[in-house]
Amino acid sequence: MVPYKHEALTDFSKEENKKAFQEALKKVEAELGKKYDLIIGGEHISTNEKITSINPGKKDQVIGVVSKANKELAEKAMQTALETFESWRKWPARLRADILFRAAAIVRRRKHEFSAWLVYEAGKPWAEADGDVAEAIDFMEYYGRQMLRIDKGVECLAEEGEHNEMYYKPMGVGVVIPPWNFPLAIMCGMTVSAVVTGNTVLLKPASNTPVIAAKFMEVLEEAGLPAGVVNFIPGSGSEVGDYLVDHPKTRFVSFTGSRDVGTRIYERAAKVQDGQVWLKRVVAEMGGKDTIVVDKDADLELAAESIVYAAFGYAGQKCSACSRAVIHEDVYDEVLKRSAEIAEGLTVGDPKDGNYMGPVIDKAAFDKISSYIDIAKQEGKIVFGGEVDESKGFYIQPTIVADLSPEARLMKEEIFGPVVAFCKVKDFDEALEVANNTDYALTGSVITKNREHIARAHRDFHVGNLYINRGCTGSVVGYQPFGGFKMSGTDAKAGGPAYLQNFLEAKTYTERL
Ligand code: NAP
Ligand code: MG
């Protein structure tokens, strides 16, 4: 097996790449507005109720019209997945992994095309879309390889005259509920991890981005995934989601999204239903309120760049986005000033035209972020941005808010938009205290030249993913396994060597010889 590094990102400063991407945008634009069916056991089913997916940067552009599942169809999908599990679980791990490698190859060949779908459906700027597709490829390559490793079993000790082993086996039907913010990468990673481990899946994509998920279903089919292994059932989170989370035959739920929905799923899944003979497993990866700490002795240019790009990449709509900058008082003014200067150079507009920042995902997000900008005016001082415009799409300027108290709402609540809160502290102790003062603990960075402070952050900065002297976004599959503590979730560490075990159970086998 060829060793795997990670998928390279596209250099859009090269004219030939730019041209190829523009062609992909054109190709996909001609395919917008099509209809997509549910897929249950390989059967395409069209329903009367539809989800209309629109371009958040250009509200009148329809990306696709997707059939919506109801409870009856969710039940049909469950029965199909239960049946299919009986054959799929017997497939050798190798052959299951091969399907991931083939799907990765298909996406790689059509990389720009997939990125273009993300530009239209999720409002992703080119580079963000390219990164999303690269991550999807990485998940498939990585989980395929991890499955081959896990399939070798675990070494156990043995007395003479006895043979012991422990191996991992598939669990059953999993409900996969991804978010819209990495609509290809996270949706793909959550789906293929459940599948390569021998489970069957009910995939309920996020209602903002069902078309990219439908395109991925085409890839799985082309790659040779048997019918019924992944059943595609777009629909309302509250209707289909609750029904399947509660279902007695659901073996596990793999969720990534907001804290509210994640805690709801965790609670509901804990209840043992009539006829249920196991405890459901729940992987719930949730929100963040991520901090970049800037120390007194630090590269201040690096600090400002790290803050700005981690705060405004994909309009701050990453669970890892920097939403708080906690800065030593001696360097606060300079980092704030420099951050505003860098933000000034960012272009905002239709991501199709190559702007740095596009829209936020929908009207609800636009309204929520706008309301936080109003709160910002009371709690602190807006030193950059603050303007919003929903005439054509859901656009919000990159917004820097200064002089917030550690207890301000802007410092505590997940906004999930292009708004970063600056807070001044008197020393490194206070910086860590403020950094740890939210309910979340997902990512964080420290910009410093002080080795002792680095050691303290290593020990005491309580986040699932800690970065030193770089921004807090952009984890790479296999390099920075991803997942947070506290209300950021179950710390499943997606893209890490222990992730697949979430969807497997370990069986110990002993034979007297
Ligand atoms: P969300 O509103 O919680 O939605 C996530 C998924 O849950 C969607 O598919 C949604 O369906 C579904 N859902 C809604 N209600 C449900 C219910 N009652 N039962 C079952 N499923 C239900 O989150 P989002 O707005 O898509 O994503 C943003 C959030 O995700 C942020 O908080 C972000 O920090 C977090 N996130 C975390 C990570 C991580 O790794 N920790 C990664 C990415 C994002 P509908 O679309 O139909 O409502
Ligand atoms: Mg949502």
Side-chain angles (χ1 to χ4, degrees):
M1 168 126 285
V2 185
Y4 185 70
K5 201 170 164 261
H6 64 78
E7 183 67 15
L9 298 177
T10 307
D11 178 358
F12 288 114
S13 69
K14 289 204 171 119
E15 207 46 48
E16 74 254 32
N17 291 341
K18 223 188 239 175
K19 241 175 138 189
F21 200 80
Q22 274 156 345
E23 263 154 40
L25 284 166
K26 236 186 266 158
K27 176 179 189 294
V28 169
E29 189 162 19
E31 294 172 27
L32 297 181
K34 287 192 184 161
K35 291 201 168 70
Y36 298 87
D37 296 333
L38 312 184
I39 306 173
I40 300 177
E43 186 192 346
H44 286 242
I45 301 172
S46 169
T47 60
N48 291 331
E49 250 200 289
K50 308 280 188 197
I51 300 170
T52 301
S53 174
I54 61 149
N55 179 343
K58 204 174 163 194
K59 290 185 281 183
D60 54 8
Q61 187 172 54
V62 173
I63 306 306
V65 180
V66 183
S67 278
K68 213 171 162 179
N70 52 24
K71 283 180 196 161
E72 289 69 43
L73 287 161
E75 182 58 36
K76 181 179 160 81
M78 172 58 86
Q79 294 309 324
T80 302
L82 284 166
E83 248 167 65
T84 313
F85 178 63
E86 291 311 320
S87 53
W88 181 241
R89 72 183 177 85
K90 294 175 195 147
W91 274 53
R94 254 234 41 219
L95 299 185
R96 296 196 305 253
D98 278 347
I99 293 176
L100 269 57
F101 299 138
R102 181 153 148 73
I106 293 167
V107 175
R108 189 180 285 118
R109 276 197 289 273
R110 291 163 54 195
K111 202 167 160 183
H112 290 334
E113 186 189 328
F114 278 95
S115 302
W117 281 104
L118 292 168
V119 171
Y120 290 113
E121 191 175 40
K124 287 216 166 188
W126 295 17
E128 298 285 346
D130 185 63
D132 193 322
V133 177
E135 190 175 341
I137 294 169
D138 287 343
F139 275 134
M140 292 188 274
E141 297 280 3
Y142 182 79
Y143 291 145
R145 283 168 176 75
Q146 288 300 318
M147 190 61 229
L148 298 181
R149 180 183 61 77
I150 289 170
D151 191 46
K152 293 186 182 135
V154 177
E155 242 180 68
C156 293
L157 303 177
E159 296 295 344
E160 223 179 287
E162 162 182 286
H163 166 71
N164 294 326
E165 66 183 63
M166 187 179 95
Y167 65 94
Y168 288 98
K169 53 195 284 298
M171 295 176 74
V173 177
V175 179
V176 172
I177 308 178
W180 50 263
N181 72 329
F182 284 84
L184 185 62
I186 294 185
M187 180 270 308
C188 161
M190 291 171 69
T191 304
V192 302
S193 54
V195 160
V196 78
T197 40
N199 305 288
T200 52
V201 163
L202 306 177
L203 169 61
K204 193 217 85 63
S207 296
N208 279 320
T209 52
V211 172
I212 190 77
K215 299 307 286 182
F216 182 65
M217 286 299 295
E218 295 172 5
V219 171
L220 291 179
E221 193 171 279
E222 188 185 337
L225 190 74
V229 175
V230 178
N231 300 282
F232 183 60
I233 45 167
S236 131
S238 47
E239 190 189 347
V240 177
D242 279 351
Y243 181 75
L244 291 174
V245 168
D246 293 347
H247 201 290
K249 295 292 183 197
T250 293
R251 187 64 188 85
F252 64 91
V253 182
S254 179
F255 168 83
T256 305
S258 64
R259 170 183 177 169
D260 285 354
V261 175
T263 45
R264 178 191 178 90
I265 288 174
Y266 198 69
E267 193 179 319
R268 292 183 82 108
K271 173 151 178 35
V272 177
Q273 307 283 347
D274 281 347
Q276 182 182 325
V277 290
W278 48 62
L279 298 175
K280 287 171 192 164
R281 282 229 194 122
V282 177
V283 170
E285 299 301 294
M286 311 190 290
K289 187 69 191 171
D290 310 303
T291 310
I292 295 184
V293 168
V294 183
D295 204 358
K296 182 170 83 167
D297 187 14
D299 177 340
L300 302 186
E301 184 63 19
L302 172 69
E305 276 176 10
S306 301
I307 292 166
V308 168
Y309 295 117
F312 302 134
Y314 192 36
Q317 300 174 109
K318 301 182 190 179
C319 48
S320 56
C322 168
S323 66
R324 324 195 302 161
V326 173
I327 304 179
H328 192 286
E329 59 186 11
D330 290 1
V331 297
Y332 178 89
D333 289 339
E334 192 176 338
V335 175
L336 180 62
K337 180 168 152 268
R338 194 57 199 125
S339 298
E341 281 165 12
I342 298 171
E344 181 133 42
L346 305 179
T347 59
V348 182
D350 194 333
K352 184 172 173 261
D353 304 329
N355 286 298
Y356 176 81
M357 216 176 88
V360 299
I361 192 69
D362 62 11
K363 169 79 176 151
F366 179 86
D367 289 344
K368 178 181 166 196
I369 300 160
S370 302
S371 79
Y372 275 105
I373 289 176
D374 290 335
I375 297 169
K377 290 172 190 156
Q378 291 144 34
E379 288 188 330
K381 195 168 88 199
I382 294 183
V383 297
F384 186 80
E387 300 94 49
V388 306
D389 176 6
E390 59 173 327
S391 52
K392 296 197 183 74
F394 305 108
Y395 292 96
I396 296 185
Q397 290 295 317
T399 299
I400 296 177
V401 188
D403 304 346
L404 289 152
S405 101
E407 295 305 315
R409 288 184 62 190
L410 252 80
M411 288 288 290
K412 295 256 181 169
E413 296 169 18
E414 188 182 50
I415 300 169
F416 221 59
V419 180
V420 59
F422 276 61
C423 173
K424 191 191 289 184
V425 289
K426 63 178 188 314
D427 57 23
F428 195 70
D429 283 334
E430 191 186 353
L432 279 189
E433 212 174 281
V434 173
N436 286 333
N437 81 351
T438 75
D439 293 352
Y440 299 103
L442 190 49
T443 76
S445 299
V446 178
I447 312 293
T448 182
K449 292 179 180 162
N450 183 322
R451 292 262 27 128
E452 196 238 318
H453 290 178
I454 291 174
R456 276 181 37 212
H458 185 275
R459 189 186 60 216
D460 296 332
F461 195 163
H462 191 58
V463 289
N465 285 65
L466 176 65
Y467 299 97
I468 306 297
N469 288 326
R470 54 159 282 184
C472 55
T473 58
S475 68
V476 176
V477 172
Y479 288 66
Q480 287 98 14
F482 192 82
F485 308 146
K486 289 164 79 182
M487 293 314 287
S488 294
T490 47
D491 192 34
K493 289 291 189 272
Y499 186 70
L500 292 186
Q501 274 89 335
N502 286 301
F503 315 111
L504 290 162
E505 41 196 13
K507 179 167 171 176
T508 300
Y509 170 92
T510 296
E511 183 178 345
R512 233 12 193 311
L513 303 171

